[in-house]
Amino acid sequence: MSVARLTALSVYLTVLVWVVVTDGLPVERTMVIAWLVVAAVIVLGGRRPGVAARAVADWLPVVLVLVAYDLSRGAADGLGMPLQLRAPIRADEALFGTVPTVWLQEHLGPFGRDVRWWEIPVSLVYVSHYIVPFALGVWLWTRARSRFSWWRDRFLTITAIGLVGYVLVPTAPPWYASRLGELPEVRRTASRGWQELGVGIADRVFDLGRAAVNPTAAFPSLHAAFALFTVVAVWRGARRWVRPLLAAYPLAMAFTLVVSGEHYVVDILAGWAVVVVAVMLWRRLDRWVVPWRARRAAAAAERDEVAAVVAPTAPPPDAPPDRGLPRPVWLLAVGAAVVAVASRMVRIARPDVLVFDEGYYAAQALEVAQHGVEVGHSVHPPAGKWAIAAGIRLLGYSPWGWRVVPLLAGAAVVGASVVAAWRATQSRWWAALAALVVLTDGIAVTTGRLALLDGLVALWCTLALVCLVNLAAHPFDAVLLVRTAWWAGALFGVALATKWSVVPVWLAATGFVAWLARTARLPRRRPLLVLGLLPVAVYALAYLPTLVAYDASAVARVACADGITCADGPVDRVRAVVHDHREVLRFHSDLEPSNRFAVSSWNWVVQTQPTELWREGERRVVAQGNPLVWAVGTAALVWCGWWGFARRRPVPLLLALTALGWWVPWAIVQRPGYSFYAAPLVPVLAVGVAVAGVSLPAAWARRAGGALAVVALVGAAVLAPRWFGW
Amino acid sequence: MPRRVCRAVVALALTLAVAGAGCGVPHGDTDRAEVEARTCASFLRRSGRPFDPAAVDPAVFARVRAEFLATGRPFSTLEPFLKACRSLG
């Protein structure tokens, strides 16, 4: 095993142990997949080139369908499908004359404080649902691609059928029916065995797996389906003496589900039927799919062979590449920025009060302008406040003063999106469409005319994206690689000193540059050092004013009140800043959703839960994107992800990584978020649309782009009063 | 204009703008109290609670902020504003 892989494995195991100790065993299904796949990639890394990209391309559909499962509750609610409460009870009574769950709990209960021995295997079998199917999938993935494809096709089909069931027939499980008075007392007992084992994962399993996600996802039972499917997948290759044990697994799962009050027998039978349907269906589909895949694999192998011959020998161009922008693109970028300023400055001083988090940021910016530091305690680094302060210094503490810098930043985002889109596509038409998408997006508009930090983060990160897209378009340019590292590093540094949420995107960008340099066989130590360390240095620099004007700062007050230090020597000041960071981290970790407009990042895709920023009477300011444009943009980014990971295309890969960097952390963390946190994602979405659009067949491309432009403009016309508070 | 000169001018302008941000704001405290009074009136109108618009005086906000500053204790940016506003409606 190479030193690099050994190091990666050590880091992996260290982090895994840390996570298990601090947070319990990971049981959320997408996290389980992530842990297993990363382990497989590290182990296989040295033997199979491109295994990481292949892992993402192969597992992305599985993760997406599991995410769709988590969203199915919302879909069922949205469609207004009636909850099935009595029907499964009647079905079980018709089969057994009674409800087996109730009968079992009456005869095996009561479930008091003491846990019986058989409740431990029940808990183990229940939790195996979250690990065993995916462990099998990853194992097959490491063994043979054809076997993994077999497993994945059927797994996705089973899950998809299950999803349809949850959306169309939301069904209450026995414990829920009991709470609603349709059954005698039914207790949820599947977690009791964990109490006996003393393993602290039970609550999280049950929160994540059942109640928090979709408590009415009972019919069909995917627990039962996955257990049977796992056995079907390994049955042929299993030794004869193992087969009785395998056969016992779905039966044990069925008993577990019924006795613990999670499912009716009819749910389990439906789950098993889904497996049969999926297997039969694919037996027919494989006649076409298997030969088609073989043809594609042969074509891809041929392409890779050509690439392997071409890539290493592609010399750096003799003459410096043309990195300048054509004049029409400059004009387009400047023109789009001017339109942004002109359209967003309309009544920018209305409302003439502090809107939403302007109450913090505008006020802190004033304090920065007056004292050089924030006097009231702040939970974000100071760079954004310094930027807003420049406007206040110029125009006074008025709505124009605190909103002029975000206005200019928002306009610059529009212009930068044009440049990024043109760099990515070399098409002025698609660059113009990208500009239109950003110009007409409600998130971009509201953050581009209010003193919120997210508009400023969007600016720094979009400028960094421009640099990185340029690099992705010139992957063999060693000079550009170093230059990009400096520019992107500085920009990520300023963004990081505005809001910490930039960290995942910065790490994703660093990973991308490492991959690109390795693929192009360019020296990568220096650019990676620059991209890794420069943002940290810029971040530290942002605290220089705090160290200088320390006495007036909230940092000094907090350090003294908390007993860290009341002195103001150089070391005390640094200690106070470090303590302040700990306090801010604790604030963000413990933050409870206190605003009813806090929304999950899952909703960014459909934009149906906008954050209301201000309201008075009938007038409201709402941060909401055009749902259709966001849906198309998300589809474009998913396509970029597939294209980038599977075909190793730098520009789509960069866009997909950047989008994931913005989206995934907010999807995972429990901290409440707001719709306008998506502001830095808007330009990525717009460039993604351009990249996806330019790859469409020419006959469709213009029509699709034109249709999207119409949708964006009509949406803006309809939604603009909500963005502007008219 | 050569590109290098252009970049230098932009960098200088940005540096001056940001560095100049910390040079003070004329009437900053007065303006802040007025803005907070307007924002408070908007909150109270929105809440539907009865309040006397004439009582929403910027001087109240300036006084409460001065009290917070005088304690030497840490406080959140919005704390003085919220305390003053709650006292009015």
Side-chain angles (χ1 to χ4, degrees), chain A residues 332-338 340-341 344 405-422 431-441 443-445 447-449 452-466 491 662 678-687:
Chain A
L332 182 61
V334 172
V338 169
V341 169
R344 293 174 185 177
V405 169
L407 174 73
L408 296 175
V413 167
V414 177
S417 301
V418 170
V419 177
W422 185 83
L433 189 73
L436 186 70
V437 167
V438 184
L439 269 171
T440 56
D441 181 82
I443 304 286
V445 170
T447 53
R449 65 196 301 278
L452 303 173
L453 298 182
D454 305 86
L456 301 169
V457 171
L459 171 63
W460 308 125
C461 291
T462 308
L463 291 175
L465 183 71
V466 171
L491 290 162
W662 285 121
L681 189 55
V682 177
V684 185
L685 203 79
V687 180

Side-chain angles (χ1 to χ4, degrees), chain A residues 287-554:
Chain A
R287 289 178 201 165
W288 294 282
V289 173
V290 170
W292 175 70
R293 280 197 179 133
R295 285 198 301 274
R296 273 188 58 204
E302 195 177 329
R303 265 200 311 275
D304 284 350
E305 268 176 37
V306 172
V309 171
V310 172
T313 54
D318 295 333
D322 178 18
R323 301 191 197 103
L325 278 181
R327 188 175 292 266
V329 180
W330 266 120
L331 290 174
L332 182 61
V334 172
V338 169
V339 172
V341 169
S343 60
R344 293 174 185 177
M345 68 186 284
V346 177
R347 298 190 60 174
I348 195 171
R350 294 283 163 193
D352 63 348
V353 296
L354 297 165
V355 170
F356 208 76
D357 281 351
E358 283 187 342
Y360 292 101
Y361 309 141
Q364 288 161 359
L366 173 66
E367 290 167 0
V368 163
Q370 288 178 308
H371 309 287
V373 283
E374 293 127 312
V375 178
H377 191 236
S378 168
V379 295
H380 292 295
K385 274 64 80 68
W386 275 89
I388 297 169
I392 293 173
R393 177 74 188 90
L394 200 66
L395 301 171
Y397 193 59
S398 64
W400 261 105
W402 66 71
R403 288 174 191 159
V404 68
V405 169
L407 174 73
L408 296 175
V413 167
V414 177
S417 301
V418 170
V419 177
W422 185 83
R423 291 278 189 210
T425 63
Q426 301 285 304
S427 160
R428 273 180 261 164
W429 199 89
W430 285 102
L433 189 73
L436 186 70
V437 167
V438 184
L439 269 171
T440 56
D441 181 82
I443 304 286
V445 170
T446 46
T447 53
R449 65 196 301 278
L450 292 173
L452 303 173
L453 298 182
D454 305 86
L456 301 169
V457 171
L459 171 63
W460 308 125
C461 291
T462 308
L463 291 175
L465 183 71
V466 171
C467 301
L468 290 164
V469 167
N470 193 25
L471 177 67
H474 303 94
F476 295 104
D477 189 336
V479 176
L480 188 64
L481 176 65
V482 176
R483 192 176 291 179
T484 300
W486 279 101
W487 276 105
L491 290 162
F492 278 129
V494 182
L496 192 62
T498 303
K499 243 184 156 186
W500 288 355
S501 55
V502 175
V503 169
V505 179
W506 163 41
L507 295 179
T510 308
F512 170 78
V513 169
W515 170 80
L516 196 70
R518 182 168 173 261
T519 307
R521 302 193 176 181
L522 295 176
R524 58 183 188 273
R525 181 167 298 183
R526 192 171 149 212
L528 287 180
L529 272 175
V530 170
L531 201 49
L533 296 180
L534 184 58
V536 180
V538 172
Y539 182 87
L541 201 62
Y543 276 89
L544 195 60
T546 307
L547 296 175
V548 173
Y550 177 75
D551 290 341
S553 70

Side-chain angles (χ1 to χ4, degrees), chain A residues 29-118:
Chain A
R29 285 167 296 191
T30 49
M31 290 309 295
V32 169
I33 291 175
W35 279 110
L36 292 169
V37 171
V38 168
V41 166
I42 292 172
V43 171
L44 295 176
R47 279 180 271 163
R48 296 188 200 168
V51 69
R54 174 57 59 195
V56 175
D58 283 343
W59 282 94
L60 194 62
V62 179
V63 170
L64 287 177
V65 83
L66 291 172
V67 168
Y69 168 84
D70 290 345
L71 292 171
S72 63
R73 171 61 193 274
D77 287 349
L79 287 172
M81 303 309 291
L83 179 66
Q84 300 298 322
L85 208 55
R86 289 286 309 158
I89 297 173
R90 281 199 295 270
D92 268 20
E93 284 173 344
L95 283 172
F96 300 99
T98 181
V99 178
T101 298
V102 176
W103 187 88
L104 280 170
Q105 291 212 350
E106 278 173 3
H107 286 77
L108 295 174
F111 297 97
R113 185 170 291 178
D114 291 336
V115 176
R116 295 179 189 81
W117 69 267
W118 57 266

Side-chain angles (χ1 to χ4, degrees), chain A residues 17 79 182 187 227 243 299 328 659 665:
Chain A
V17 168
L79 287 172
E182 294 290 334
R187 292 192 56 187
R243 288 183 175 178

Side-chain angles (χ1 to χ4, degrees), chain A residues 352-354 359-360 363-364 366-370 375-377 386 389-390 392-393 397 402 557-558 561 612 614-616, chain B residues 3 17-18 20-26 28-29 31-32 35 38-39 42 45-46 68-69 72-78:
Chain A
D352 63 348
V353 296
L354 297 165
Y360 292 101
Q364 288 161 359
L366 173 66
E367 290 167 0
V368 163
Q370 288 178 308
V375 178
H377 191 236
W386 275 89
I392 293 173
R393 177 74 188 90
Y397 193 59
W402 66 71
R557 286 164 180 261
V558 171
E612 185 181 87
W614 175 80
R615 176 164 59 89
E616 200 174 302
Chain B
R3 189 179 289 181
V18 175
C23 295
V25 180
D29 290 332
D31 290 347
R32 180 172 191 170
V35 166
R38 281 205 305 270
T39 306
S42 171
R45 277 196 298 274
R46 176 177 165 174
F68 267 87
L69 283 169
R73 304 274 310 162
F75 58 90
S76 158
T77 305
L78 276 189

